[in-house]
Amino acid sequence: MLDSSAKRDVVVIGGGIAGIAAATALAEQGVRVSLIEGEQYLGGRAGAWTETLANGDSQEMERGFHAFFRQYYSLRKLLRRVDPNLEMLEQLHDYPIYGPDGASESFSNLPATAPFNVIALTHRTKTLSLRDLMKVDARAAMRMLAFDGASTYEDYDEMSAGEYLDSLRFPPAARRMLFDVFAHSFFNPENTMSAGELLMMFHFYFMGNREGLVFDVCKRPMSEAFWTPFEGYLRGLGVKLHLGEYVRSVRKTAAGYQIGSDGQVIDAKDVVLALSVPALKTVLANSPDLHDGEWSEKVQNLDVTRPFVVWRLWLDKATHAGRKPFVGTSGLGIIDNISLYHLFQDESRQWAEEHGGSVVELHAYGVPSEMPEDKIRADLLAALHSLYPETANARVIDERYLLRQDCPDFSCGTYKNRPGVETPHANVFLAGDFVRLPFPSALMERAAASGFSAANKILDRAGKATEAIESVAPRGMLASLMKVAPILSPRPRKQ
């Protein structure tokens, strides 16, 4: 039987990055907040949990490698609440891309800003000759320097990322090493992902970003580095944490909303829905009071992209000296990157030293839904053994294989119907990495920025101080030129 709790000012539903950001900004301004999370831990898809290996060792497991780029301003600002100097993050100086036949590409030591980063990369890559550059469609390529918010989506949202990359006319090796691996990093397959979304990603990560392509990695499991400290931080602010409780419905009342979870009913004036796409759709389906024709239809039309695989292996042999902590891959089957956790995370490093082994994680994004697990495993293992032959004879002491399908879909034509932070319900707000924002942002940063944005709507209405949100330049360096000289980049032909 459900118990009724005390009334709260705001209920944040979802304890991932978006929910933590919203709850933090609100509680720091004296707002009474309850945060409800279905898992027993905070962090959402960036969270971590404890696993006991077959030999009795306790290890923290995550859903894959996370890169903390320097332009993740909102995320880094959030993390400073529990790690003021970001001592848990360490710079990764290089993350090479490996391809077939020994091909490799490096993104280290590039100038930080466009177009100098593009010029330097083009000059030093082995995959492009002067003759190749003469064949590139310069007008199509210029669009990567001309992101212009809604107008870019208007022109390119109906085109697939694959079609746009084809239009550049780069030679196959250059496209594979310079572009394909980047496109795959957003979990969506090229043949269905919006080219408008891809161009925004290019702008956010490379063309419009003054920080360069340098990123940091977390030196400890993220549960220990950030999320467990955040539990204490939020409780210290008076936030009521309800972990291990799934919200089933949201019902409108005369005074606001009533949130029904597994354990209780909570009354609140405002609600922040900081959920994954599947969880949000489930809650909305069970909440008739939130149905609002066009908006609820937009939410129900949200989707997830193909599954992704994370396979962590605890091996009894060390990897060779000089291996990079993280490498991207392209053209080597379904594998997208390899992370050597013992080279950057302290818990894995200690385990490897004690056992004379290594902790290796293999990732595959946008895996075909019909691909059987044995084929996925065989494909990933073949790529690992090809790139790191010393692992071929290693014994697997233990493993954890995860296949998940809850990352947002950014298919062609979906931008115009993507919901934003505000909803038709004056006291209900959305947050998450699928939410449409008025500035370029992606992945963990979009989650944090949308959480702050949702909190700001509530704080501003209450006359309280809001959270400053910083992002990269809103427009590309050639955006204005395209407006006055559109012949330089005509609109693409719609398919």
Side-chain angles (χ1 to χ4, degrees):
M1 186 170 181
L2 297 177
D3 296 324
S4 180
S5 75
K7 179 178 174 63
R8 306 296 285 176
D9 296 325
V10 182
V11 170
V12 177
I13 305 173
I17 290 173
I20 294 171
T24 296
L26 290 165
E28 287 176 343
Q29 294 301 317
V31 177
R32 296 177 303 165
V33 179
S34 283
L35 188 153
I36 308 174
E37 165 56 43
E39 299 290 350
Q40 294 288 350
Y41 53 86
L42 295 177
R45 279 173 294 170
W49 61 94
T50 304
E51 294 276 358
T52 301
L53 304 188
N55 64 358
D57 292 338
S58 178
Q59 294 279 287
E60 291 295 289
M61 181 65 191
E62 300 168 355
R63 289 173 40 136
F65 172 88
H66 295 280
F68 293 81
F69 286 87
R70 298 295 174 87
Q71 73 272 28
Y72 282 8
Y73 301 121
S74 293
L75 177 63
R76 295 169 81 92
K77 188 177 182 183
L78 176 67
L79 298 180
R80 287 184 187 278
R81 263 68 170 201
V82 295
D83 183 11
N85 298 316
L86 296 182
E87 294 175 353
M88 290 295 101
L89 299 182
E90 183 173 26
Q91 181 176 328
L92 199 64
H93 295 283
D94 191 17
Y95 49 106
I97 309 301
Y98 292 162
D101 304 318
S104 66
E105 198 72 57
S106 172
F107 293 93
S108 66
N109 299 317
L110 289 174
T113 58
F116 307 107
N117 50 7
V118 180
I119 294 170
L121 181 61
T122 302
H123 176 72
R124 79 183 191 189
T125 181
K126 299 176 182 177
T127 61
L128 278 174
S129 66
L130 182 59
R131 179 176 296 180
D132 293 328
L133 284 172
M134 297 296 291
K135 297 177 182 178
V136 170
D137 187 326
R139 291 189 298 179
M142 286 173 69
R143 289 307 298 240
M144 288 187 284
L145 289 163
F147 176 78
D148 195 17
S151 67
T152 293
Y153 283 104
E154 181 181 352
D155 289 349
Y156 282 90
D157 194 45
E158 298 290 341
M159 175 185 276
S160 75
E163 289 172 317
Y164 172 73
L165 293 175
D166 286 343
S167 76
L168 297 175
R169 298 204 301 260
F170 273 77
R175 172 177 167 164
R176 182 172 59 241
M177 299 298 288
L178 299 178
F179 294 107
D180 288 0
V181 69
F182 180 84
H184 293 172
S185 298
F186 308 109
F187 301 94
N188 286 242
E190 289 178 16
N191 62 332
T192 60
M193 181 181 178
S194 158
E197 197 71 25
L198 181 69
L199 286 166
M200 187 279 290
M201 300 291 189
F202 277 138
H203 177 79
F204 180 68
Y205 285 99
F206 199 59
M207 305 301 183
N209 162 35
R210 65 179 181 269
E211 308 293 344
L213 275 176
V214 172
F215 64 75
D216 299 325
V217 294
C218 193
K219 295 190 290 187
R220 302 183 66 187
M222 295 227 281
S223 54
E224 298 175 2
F226 299 122
W227 309 136
T228 298
F230 251 110
E231 288 187 37
Y233 181 75
L234 291 172
R235 287 194 171 100
L237 293 171
V239 176
K240 299 289 187 182
L241 293 180
H242 305 272
L243 301 181
E245 295 183 21
Y246 285 93
V247 169
R248 302 303 176 186
S249 64
V250 176
R251 187 171 67 86
K252 190 168 179 56
T253 66
Y257 291 91
Q258 193 172 78
I259 295 85
S261 72
D262 290 333
Q264 60 192 308
V265 171
I266 304 175
D267 290 297
K269 181 181 179 182
D270 297 289
V271 179
V272 178
L273 298 167
L275 295 162
S276 67
V277 167
L280 174 64
K281 293 170 71 170
T282 297
V283 170
L284 185 63
N286 294 330
S287 306
D289 291 347
L290 296 185
H291 293 183
D292 187 85
E294 183 180 352
W295 177 78
S296 52
E297 184 178 353
K298 285 181 179 181
V299 173
Q300 291 301 341
N301 285 336
L302 292 171
D303 206 351
V304 293
T305 187
R306 286 182 181 178
F308 68 94
V309 169
V310 173
W311 189 14
R312 187 176 294 192
L313 303 167
W314 286 266
L315 305 178
D316 71 344
K317 294 188 185 307
T319 53
H320 286 170
R323 295 296 190 195
K324 300 295 184 183
F326 171 85
V327 300
T329 60
S330 186
L332 295 168
I334 64 169
I335 195 165
D336 283 296
N337 59 63
I338 301 173
S339 304
L340 302 184
Y341 267 69
H342 58 283
L343 296 184
F344 65 88
Q345 200 174 85
D346 61 356
E347 182 184 69
S348 295
R349 181 181 295 111
Q350 181 178 348
W351 187 93
E353 290 173 352
E354 291 175 355
H355 294 271
S358 54
V359 182
V360 179
E361 195 167 88
L362 312 177
H363 296 178
Y365 306 136
V367 177
S369 300
E370 68 277 7
M371 192 171 187
E373 181 177 325
D374 59 345
K375 178 67 172 67
I376 294 173
R377 287 173 175 261
D379 199 280
L380 292 175
L381 211 56
L384 172 65
H385 294 167
S386 172
L387 293 173
Y388 299 164
E390 67 270 25
T391 64
N393 296 320
R395 181 173 64 89
V396 178
I397 294 178
D398 211 334
E399 62 171 310
R400 290 296 184 272
Y401 177 91
L402 307 178
L403 186 146
R404 298 288 186 269
Q405 190 172 10
D406 53 11
C407 292
D409 170 74
F410 295 106
S411 288
C412 301
T414 60
Y415 175 79
K416 60 182 177 293
N417 291 319
R418 188 168 299 281
V421 170
E422 294 186 274
T423 77
H425 310 282
N427 300 88
V428 178
F429 304 91
L430 291 184
D433 62 351
F434 64 90
V435 171
R436 180 169 163 174
L437 293 176
F439 48 83
S441 190
L443 300 178
M444 293 192 295
E445 174 62 8
R446 185 182 288 183
S450 65
F452 282 151
S453 296
N456 283 348
K457 302 294 183 183
I458 299 170
L459 294 171
D460 185 62
R461 187 187 60 206
K464 296 178 180 289
T466 57
E467 188 78 25
I469 299 176
E470 183 183 3
S471 186
V472 301
R475 304 169 71 235
M477 62 184 301
L478 295 184
S480 297
L481 179 62
M482 295 298 181
K483 284 189 177 296
V484 299
I487 193 172
L488 292 174
S489 184
R491 290 191 174 190
R493 294 190 301 273
K494 298 295 189 293
Q495 300 300 309

